[in-house]
Amino acid sequence: EAQVTQNPRYLITVTGKKLTVTCSQNMNHEYMSWYRQDPGLGLRQIYYSMNVEVTDKGDVPEGYKVSRKEKRNFPLILESPSPNQTSLYFCASSLEVAGGFSFRHNEQFFGPGTRLTVL
Amino acid sequence: EDKVVQSPLSLVVHEGDTVTLNCSYEVTNFRSLLWYKQEKKAPTFLFMLTSSGIEKKSGRLSSILDKKELSSILNITATQTGDSAIYLCAVRGEYNNNDMRFGAGTRLTVKP
């Protein structure tokens, strides 16, 4: 089954304790992205990656790191989590072809979400 | 600064009503506008729009883009309780190499 998976789904942690949220897709997608969703603010992009070893900052990258060593995985790292990073996090992926502009190149498939609470 | 604004933020209707959700945007080098439906979990894709004036339709849902007005509408006719969800609009531009920008969403509640 084609899907995006995230782990863990729920996490409660304390300020300053490093954590990693994993994201994996089995659709051979080039584009992967992380979002956080907060009430009244919608989805805000944290980081995205156009392909292996290529990552770029989104709107709210502060306090986060990512890596893209393999095409299928795009982990989100919080080196020193703080309470303001309490949020619902989504990973997403899409098929991208350079210069492409058709339906399939822009539809993002979302993971199930990770609810993070930082105390 | 690039932005996507959705209105209304929240809407309560009764089954059978027709609703229109709005999305306006200011994005550098617009590429596409996407609508998603989010119930209790991850957003699911509804439509992608790239050209003005061409209506996309799926059952009771339809959407159209107006690039002159920098906006899009999502229509839902004969609403059902299962349409209750947050509807998200996202715009893909070429600002900062292909990022995706979402609006805050419209929360639709359909009462029986």
Side-chain angles (χ1 to χ4, degrees), chain B residues 9-73:
Chain B
L9 290 180
S10 182
L11 188 58
V12 180
V13 300
H14 286 95
E15 272 192 318
D17 289 349
T18 293
V19 298
T20 298
L21 310 183
N22 300 283
C23 176
S24 63
Y25 61 89
E26 293 176 25
V27 173
T28 305
N29 294 329
F30 173 89
R31 288 184 65 189
S32 59
L33 184 145
L34 297 92
W35 284 98
Y36 287 85
K37 178 182 181 182
Q38 185 178 24
E39 296 173 87
K40 290 186 179 172
K41 38 191 180 178
T44 54
F45 176 80
L46 294 174
F47 299 113
M48 186 181 84
L49 304 158
T50 57
S51 301
S52 275
I54 299 174
E55 185 183 51
K56 293 283 182 84
K57 201 169 170 65
S58 176
R60 295 176 293 102
L61 278 67
S62 64
S63 184
I64 196 162
L65 175 67
D66 186 338
K67 288 167 94 170
K68 191 174 175 185
E69 296 294 327
L70 305 182
S71 66
S72 172
I73 58 171

Side-chain angles (χ1 to χ4, degrees), chain A residues 37 45 48 57 59 101 111, chain B residues 31 38 42 96-97 99 101:
Chain A
Q37 187 173 34
Q45 194 170 43
Y48 63 95
K57 295 178 180 178
D59 286 330
F101 199 53
Chain B
R31 288 184 65 189
Q38 185 178 24
N96 202 25
N97 277 339
D99 67 347
R101 193 169 293 266

Side-chain angles (χ1 to χ4, degrees), chain A residues 32-77:
Chain A
M32 296 186 74
S33 181
W34 275 103
Y35 299 90
R36 60 177 290 174
Q37 187 173 34
D38 303 288
L41 296 176
L43 282 159
R44 292 180 293 168
Q45 194 170 43
I46 303 171
Y47 270 95
Y48 63 95
S49 170
M50 292 295 289
N51 214 324
V52 176
E53 301 293 1
V54 180
T55 61
D56 281 292
K57 295 178 180 178
D59 286 330
V60 288
E62 293 78 21
Y64 304 95
K65 284 172 59 177
V66 292
S67 69
R68 189 87 184 273
K69 294 186 170 60
E70 307 163 281
K71 199 171 187 180
R72 63 182 292 126
N73 296 322
F74 191 45
L76 180 69
I77 303 154

